[in-house]
Amino acid sequence: MSPSEEEKEIPPRRFRSLPAWARGPATTSLHAARRPERNAGAVTPPIYQTSTFHFPAANSELGSTAEPYIYTRYENPSQEAAAETIRALEGGEAARVFGSGMGAVATTLVGLLSSGDEVLALDTLYGGTLGLLSELLPRYGIRVRWVSRAQAAEPEKLITDGTRLVFLESPTNPLLEVHDLARWASAADACGAISVVDSSIATPINQQPLRLGIDLVVHSASKYLGGHSDLIAGAVVGPTVLMERIRDAHLLLGSVLDPFAAFLLSRGMKTLAPRVTQQSRSAAWLASELERLPGIEKVHYPGRASPQEEELAHRQMLGRSGVLAFSLHGGLPAARRFLERLELVHVAASFGGAESLVSLPAETSHAGLTQAERSSRGIGEGLVRLSVGLEEPEALLADVVQAGRSA
Ligand SMILES: *Cc1c(COP(=O)(O)O)cnc(C)c1O
């Protein structure tokens, strides 16, 4: 028997008898992409480290082959395995993975917008997205209207029939403010605008925007989805009609996830649910402990800004966040001293890794804004962002206390 006949003997498996309750996110992230029948029975899918695929002898055969792969810039099974896991976790129709989170954001915007279109965007978006929308896309005739935190409470007053797309983040970075996604989704729907949420901080463990009516969810998979600070990747999930347009742009723009990085992403996502659940639990505990420390002025965590925000976070989120932020008495000099004295927590940009990371948004993610622009968004110079890792939370608290004491 040739190897290919052997592979065909393994029947495709379908879940026939498992009840819906057995298919929570932990189960989904382990089993959604399994295709042993395609991979010689392998429990861990192989890395398809190839740029190109055997092309059928005649073009007419293309439509009828079981393996429609042509070239890795278009599709590759290792990319598809990672995309399928994210699709299933978010509950969308289709998904694609990209070479970075910015690749996912840029491809989505370029794929869906045309010259003359108007975008509504929160003025607290991730720095890269802010740059794309404020500097690059306007050169191609795309107009952006910026929405402040206060204005964002009433999206119906902002979205008009001229709005093509709204771009949101919730919880926001670095202040962890929560926006009402269901309300934004229905306001956008009423005007025929596409709603997009960057859900990198929440992950599908803490929030599922598509289930709230949002059209597209984008991720920097470099953060929690990968989860080990060892890869750069992005993802987009949404309805097939929109994903086909994003695919067309993706093939031309070429923000491709290398098959090995796609494998690492799939491997990282096997533990997404326990990681994010544990990190969110530790972060919530640390947020309340930090509020009691004398050197700390204010703690930012989803739902803590006001009772209304707590009610909203409770309604729309499944959990909260593994990221928190706090300001120290003494501003930037105190924050710099604090970072220098941390012994356990790495001082580094990014978040979502297994190890805790700390950074000053004014000097990293929001360094592209002027001090006045940061201040108008509530991002003080001494604000510290902490991505809580998988260490014992008591160890993290001890490190924060010793660094703060000597600050
Ligand atoms: C990091 C990040 C991005 C960009 O992702 P990369 O993978 O670094 O390209 C986009 N949005 C948010 C919220 C991020 O944190």
Side-chain angles (χ1 to χ4, degrees):
M1 199 160 52
S2 76
S4 63
E5 278 169 325
E6 235 172 75
E7 281 169 37
K8 283 192 199 105
E9 298 252 313
I10 304 166
R13 282 166 205 234
R14 297 277 172 269
F15 294 104
R16 288 195 196 86
S17 55
L18 278 183
W21 55 260
R23 307 285 307 281
T27 307
T28 301
S29 56
L30 284 163
H31 295 287
R34 65 195 235 173
R35 301 280 184 277
E37 70 280 6
R38 272 202 198 172
N39 297 319
V43 165
T44 299
I47 309 168
Y48 284 86
Q49 196 71 40
T50 182
S51 60
T52 192
F53 296 83
H54 177 76
F55 202 79
N59 277 344
S60 58
E61 281 180 39
L62 248 185
S64 61
T65 53
E67 297 286 307
Y69 303 103
I70 297 168
Y71 189 54
T72 287
R73 176 154 49 79
Y74 305 172
E75 275 91 21
N76 171 296
S78 299
Q79 297 162 355
E80 284 186 348
E84 174 55 18
T85 300
I86 302 170
R87 185 205 64 73
L89 284 166
E90 291 289 4
E93 283 177 11
R96 294 186 72 80
V97 290
F98 296 79
S100 67
M102 281 314 298
V105 170
T107 308
T108 299
L109 293 174
V110 171
L112 298 177
L113 295 170
S114 302
S115 174
D117 283 346
E118 179 194 83
V119 176
L120 272 189
L122 293 181
D123 67 5
T124 50
L125 294 178
Y126 172 74
T129 313
L130 279 180
L132 185 66
L133 284 167
S134 63
E135 284 156 37
L136 197 55
L137 293 182
R139 284 173 29 201
Y140 300 91
I142 290 159
R143 292 169 297 126
V144 182
R145 259 200 300 143
W146 297 104
V147 178
S148 70
R149 164 86 177 138
Q151 291 171 319
E154 294 183 296
E156 303 79 12
K157 290 192 177 161
L158 303 169
I159 304 176
T160 69
D161 289 339
T163 308
R164 189 81 197 92
L165 186 145
V166 301
F167 201 105
L168 311 167
E169 258 175 58
S170 184
T172 59
N173 174 27
L175 295 176
L176 291 315
E177 292 165 344
V178 182
H179 290 278
D180 190 336
L181 299 183
R183 187 164 167 182
W184 270 92
S186 64
D189 264 358
C191 292
I194 299 166
S195 51
V196 186
V197 169
D198 181 332
S199 199
S200 304
I201 286 193
T203 82
I205 305 307
N206 282 335
Q207 163 176 293
Q208 294 166 349
L210 303 182
R211 302 194 202 280
L212 300 168
I214 292 291
D215 294 315
L216 291 166
V217 55
V218 304
H219 283 285
S220 167
S222 321
K223 313 294 167 53
Y224 284 106
L225 299 184
H228 294 76
S229 307
D230 58 4
L231 62 87
I232 297 290
V236 182
V237 191
T240 308
V241 278
L242 294 178
M243 291 306 298
E244 278 173 357
R245 291 167 60 195
I246 292 169
R247 177 182 186 269
D248 291 344
H250 193 182
L251 267 48
L252 298 174
L253 293 170
S255 173
V256 176
L257 188 59
D258 179 77
F260 181 63
F263 163 82
L264 284 178
L265 174 55
S266 289
R267 177 184 158 110
M269 285 192 294
K270 289 186 181 192
T271 54
L272 179 68
R275 277 190 286 109
V276 172
T277 304
Q278 179 58 46
Q279 287 166 325
S280 303
R281 214 176 272 154
S282 296
W285 179 78
L286 274 170
S288 46
E289 290 295 315
L290 294 188
E291 266 174 356
R292 290 202 269 269
L293 295 184
I296 289 179
E297 192 176 38
K298 188 169 168 54
V299 175
H300 302 267
Y301 195 66
R304 282 186 181 247
S306 66
Q308 293 86 330
E309 194 193 67
E310 170 57 33
E311 188 276 323
L312 172 62
H314 183 74
R315 176 155 42 90
Q316 96 177 1
M317 301 187 77
L318 304 161
R320 296 297 164 94
S321 158
V323 179
L324 61 97
F326 51 92
S327 51
L328 293 166
H329 291 296
L332 185 58
R336 282 206 183 118
R337 273 200 308 277
F338 173 78
L339 261 57
E340 272 167 27
R341 286 170 175 163
L342 285 168
E343 291 172 9
L344 189 61
V345 181
H346 280 287
V347 179
S350 194
F351 59 84
E355 56 291 292
S356 294
L357 302 176
V358 72
S359 65
L360 302 183
E363 293 188 338
T364 52
S365 58
H366 292 71
L369 301 181
T370 65
Q371 184 170 345
E373 285 170 333
R374 283 193 293 269
S375 155
S376 74
R377 290 163 174 79
I379 304 168
E381 301 302 286
L383 188 75
V384 176
R385 186 186 74 189
L386 176 63
S387 167
V388 176
L390 290 168
E391 301 90 348
E392 283 79 13
E394 295 81 4
L396 297 173
L397 180 63
D399 199 24
V400 167
V401 168
Q402 69 76 22
R405 194 181 292 133
S406 36

Coordinates of all heavy atoms in Angstrom, one line a residue, residues 100-102 126 129 169 173 198 200 220 222-223 232-233 351, ligand 1:
S100 N 1.9 39.7 10.8 CA 2.0 40.5 12.1 C 0.6 41.0 12.4 O -0.3 40.9 11.5 CB 2.9 41.6 11.9 OG 2.5 42.6 11.0
G101 N 0.4 41.5 13.6 CA -0.9 42.2 13.9 C -1.1 43.4 13.0 O -2.2 43.6 12.5
M102 N 0.0 44.1 12.7 CA -0.2 45.3 11.8 C -0.5 44.8 10.4 O -1.2 45.5 9.7 CB 1.1 46.2 11.8 CG 1.2 47.1 13.0 SD -0.3 48.0 13.4 CE -0.5 49.0 11.9
Y126 N -4.2 51.4 19.4 CA -2.7 51.0 19.4 C -1.9 51.9 18.5 O -2.4 52.3 17.4 CB -2.6 49.5 18.8 CG -1.2 49.1 18.6 CD1 -0.4 48.8 19.7 CD2 -0.7 48.9 17.3 CE1 0.9 48.4 19.5 CE2 0.6 48.5 17.1 CZ 1.4 48.2 18.2 OH 2.7 47.8 18.0
T129 N -1.7 51.3 14.7 CA -3.0 51.6 14.0 C -3.2 53.1 13.9 O -3.7 53.5 12.8 CB -4.1 50.9 14.7 OG1 -3.8 49.5 15.0 CG2 -5.4 50.8 13.9
E169 N -11.1 49.5 19.8 CA -10.4 48.5 20.7 C -11.1 48.5 22.0 O -11.5 49.6 22.5 CB -8.9 49.1 20.9 CG -7.9 48.4 20.1 CD -6.5 49.0 20.3 OE1 -6.0 49.1 21.5 OE2 -6.0 49.5 19.3
N173 N -5.7 50.1 25.3 CA -4.3 50.1 25.8 C -3.8 51.5 25.9 O -4.0 52.3 25.0 CB -3.5 49.3 24.7 CG -2.1 49.3 25.0 OD1 -1.6 49.3 26.1 ND2 -1.3 49.2 23.9
D198 N -10.3 45.5 17.5 CA -9.0 44.9 17.8 C -9.1 44.3 19.2 O -9.2 45.1 20.2 CB -7.9 46.0 17.7 CG -6.5 45.4 18.0 OD1 -6.4 44.4 18.7 OD2 -5.5 46.0 17.5
S200 N -7.0 42.2 20.8 CA -5.7 41.6 21.2 C -5.6 41.5 22.7 O -5.0 40.5 23.3 CB -4.5 42.4 20.7 OG -4.5 42.6 19.3
S220 N -3.5 41.0 17.3 CA -2.0 40.8 17.2 C -1.8 39.5 17.9 O -1.9 39.4 19.1 CB -1.3 41.9 17.9 OG 0.1 41.5 18.1
S222 N 0.8 38.0 18.1 CA 2.1 38.1 18.8 C 2.0 38.2 20.3 O 2.9 38.0 21.0 CB 2.9 39.4 18.4 OG 2.7 39.7 17.0
K223 N 0.8 38.5 20.8 CA 0.6 38.8 22.2 C 0.0 37.5 22.8 O 0.7 36.5 22.9 CB -0.4 39.9 22.4 CG -0.1 41.2 21.5 CD 1.3 41.8 21.9 CE 1.8 42.8 20.9 NZ 0.8 43.9 20.5
I232 N 5.8 36.7 15.8 CA 5.1 37.9 15.4 C 4.0 37.3 14.4 O 4.3 36.6 13.4 CB 6.0 38.9 14.7 CG1 7.0 39.5 15.6 CG2 5.1 40.0 14.1 CD1 6.5 40.4 16.7
A233 N 2.7 37.6 14.7 CA 1.6 37.1 13.8 C 0.4 38.0 14.1 O 0.3 38.7 15.1 CB 1.3 35.7 14.1
F351 N 3.0 42.5 25.3 CA 2.3 41.9 26.5 C 1.8 40.5 26.0 O 1.9 40.1 24.9 CB 1.1 42.8 26.9 CG 0.1 43.1 25.8 CD1 -1.0 42.2 25.6 CD2 0.1 44.2 25.1 CE1 -1.9 42.4 24.6 CE2 -0.8 44.5 24.1 CZ -1.9 43.6 23.9
Ligands
LIG1 C1 0.8 44.8 19.3 C2 -0.5 45.3 18.9 C3 -0.8 45.4 17.5 C4 0.3 45.2 16.4 O1 0.6 43.8 16.4 P1 2.0 43.3 15.9 O2 1.9 41.8 16.0 O3 3.1 43.9 16.8 O4 2.2 43.8 14.5 C5 -2.0 45.8 17.2 N1 -3.0 46.0 18.1 C6 -2.8 45.9 19.4 C7 -3.8 46.2 20.4 C8 -1.5 45.5 19.8 O5 -1.2 45.4 21.1

